[in-house]
Amino acid sequence: MRPDYFFYKVDNMGRAAVLGELEHLVLLGVLRLDEDAYGMRIRLEIEERTGRDVSTGAIYTTLDRLERKGLVRSEVGDPTPERGGRARRTFRLTGEGARALTEARQTLARMWSGLSLEGEGA
Amino acid sequence: MTRTPPLAGRLLLRLVLPPREVEHVAGDLQEEWITVRIPRLGEVGARYWYLREVVRSAGPVLLYRLGRGEFLPELLLAFTLTLGSYLAVEFFWGLVLSLVPLRAAAPAPGFVMGSIVVAGVVAASSGFFRTRAVLEDGVLAPLLLVAGVPPAAFLSAWIADGSTFVPSAAFGAALSVGTLTGVLVAVYPPRPFTWRARP
């Protein structure tokens, strides 16, 4: 275990991790894609649903950070021809990741509660 | 129709990413390139997309790796190399000029030459290690064979353990700092340290 990860764990013991915006989107992508969640699919999922063209590098660094935080775990699959014989690294949400997502959703709901924007729903 | 992504993109990817991630990220990019981008954009457009994707990914990846301190040993080494060579040349000229009556000769050209030699050695080493690091693609192997370097198969096996990135990054960083130092010294030659013995 790396020292920075250890201190992160201690600092955040007992509470869900706070998610950045891209982390939030990537975690939702992982949740939505289930067993088929890997870099390319997550990137396309975000692009299709939000219109945001996130770079592969940004997705890779975010997934790496989430894995170090213990919010996702990865496993390496079998090589496929369309990938030039390279293996695929798929990601799954962990219990802690699910807790962080739930916490993020509840936080947003609490903040939105009782608010409305002008013109919304007209 | 070729089904290989652009060489420049693949090489840049290999230089930027840590070795343990190259396979997965390159695989992701190649899969998207073949299954999504070529049908949508055509062969030429897809090649442009691949290059653009690699270039715009380089920034976040490098910043992330810098932030995690992955290049710290390499940067320290580069700093030590350049500062060490600077101090060595400085001390050498200071000693020579304090012992030998060469004050009429300008010390700056010697200093500049020394720094440039150091930068040159670092540049050559960097070039070699970086070339070695991308040999897995097999494209640059003939160049090394011409240069008398051992067969590519041997080098590829050597590379396969993924341990080449550290020296390549180290020499890359040293190259950058060394070259910058050489240029700065050439433009602004410093005054040598003069050591005088007590009478």
Side-chain angles (χ1 to χ4, degrees):
Chain A
M1 181 184 287
R2 289 175 57 96
D4 55 346
Y5 180 68
F6 172 76
F7 288 118
Y8 175 84
K9 293 290 282 185
V10 171
D11 286 347
N12 292 279
M13 213 171 265
R15 64 179 179 219
V18 177
L19 300 174
E21 190 193 359
L22 188 57
E23 287 179 339
H24 198 160
L25 290 177
V26 169
L27 273 184
L28 286 172
V30 171
L31 181 65
R32 186 173 287 280
L33 291 164
D34 197 23
E35 291 184 356
D36 205 21
Y38 59 99
M40 176 202 122
R41 290 297 310 274
I42 296 169
R43 202 178 86 77
L44 291 176
E45 187 74 15
I46 291 174
E47 189 177 345
E48 281 170 18
R49 291 186 176 272
T50 68
R52 282 179 60 173
D53 184 15
V54 185
S55 74
T56 303
I59 294 287
Y60 148 73
T61 52
T62 305
L63 283 168
D64 195 64
R65 197 182 308 119
L66 290 172
E67 188 167 26
R68 287 176 197 278
K69 287 182 180 178
L71 304 184
V72 296
R73 65 171 186 275
S74 68
E75 53 192 46
V76 177
D78 295 326
T80 57
E82 69 267 21
R83 297 172 64 84
R86 297 182 180 91
R88 180 183 289 170
R89 186 174 165 204
T90 53
F91 293 84
R92 299 293 297 269
L93 207 63
T94 62
E96 203 165 336
R99 203 154 69 92
L101 272 180
T102 308
E103 178 70 27
R105 185 167 67 174
Q106 288 171 350
T107 303
L108 282 177
R110 281 196 296 272
M111 289 301 290
W112 273 106
S113 175
L115 292 178
S116 65
L117 292 173
E118 198 175 332
E120 190 184 43
Chain B
M1 179 185 287
T2 60
R3 288 291 175 183
T4 311
L7 174 65
R10 283 184 288 141
L11 297 185
L12 181 60
L13 203 61
R14 204 166 282 283
L15 291 178
V16 167
L17 285 169
R20 64 181 183 279
E21 294 294 343
V22 169
E23 182 180 1
H24 313 304
V25 179
D28 276 358
L29 276 173
Q30 181 156 349
E31 184 178 349
E32 182 171 351
W33 184 69
I34 287 179
T35 59
V36 179
R37 302 299 161 180
I38 290 181
R40 276 192 203 167
L41 307 169
E43 183 79 22
V44 176
R47 294 179 83 78
Y48 169 75
W49 170 86
Y50 190 96
L51 280 173
R52 173 180 160 273
E53 193 58 29
V54 172
V55 168
R56 77 185 185 125
S57 291
V61 172
L62 286 177
L63 281 177
Y64 178 70
R65 297 187 70 194
L66 273 173
R68 288 184 37 75
E70 287 190 30
F71 294 122
L72 200 58
E74 291 85 344
L75 290 174
L76 280 176
L77 178 64
F79 182 73
T80 309
L81 278 176
T82 47
L83 189 67
S85 59
Y86 177 90
L87 291 176
V89 177
E90 181 90 357
F91 177 76
F92 171 75
W93 272 110
L95 192 63
V96 166
L97 292 173
S98 65
L99 298 175
V100 185
L102 282 178
R103 292 187 188 281
F111 187 91
V112 172
M113 195 171 67
S115 299
I116 288 175
V117 167
V118 171
V121 170
V122 173
S125 309
S126 169
F128 174 74
F129 279 102
R130 284 188 171 269
T131 305
R132 208 181 64 176
V134 297
L135 257 179
E136 277 176 281
D137 281 319
V139 180
L140 298 177
L143 294 178
L144 286 186
L145 286 173
V146 169
V149 178
F154 170 76
L155 283 176
S156 294
W158 190 14
I159 292 163
D161 64 1
S163 63
T164 51
F165 194 82
V166 170
S168 74
F171 282 106
L175 165 67
S176 312
V177 182
T179 308
L180 184 64
T181 307
V183 170
L184 283 176
V185 165
V187 176
Y188 305 106
R191 294 177 57 194
F193 168 75
T194 51
W195 177 78
R196 290 200 177 101
R198 285 190 171 183

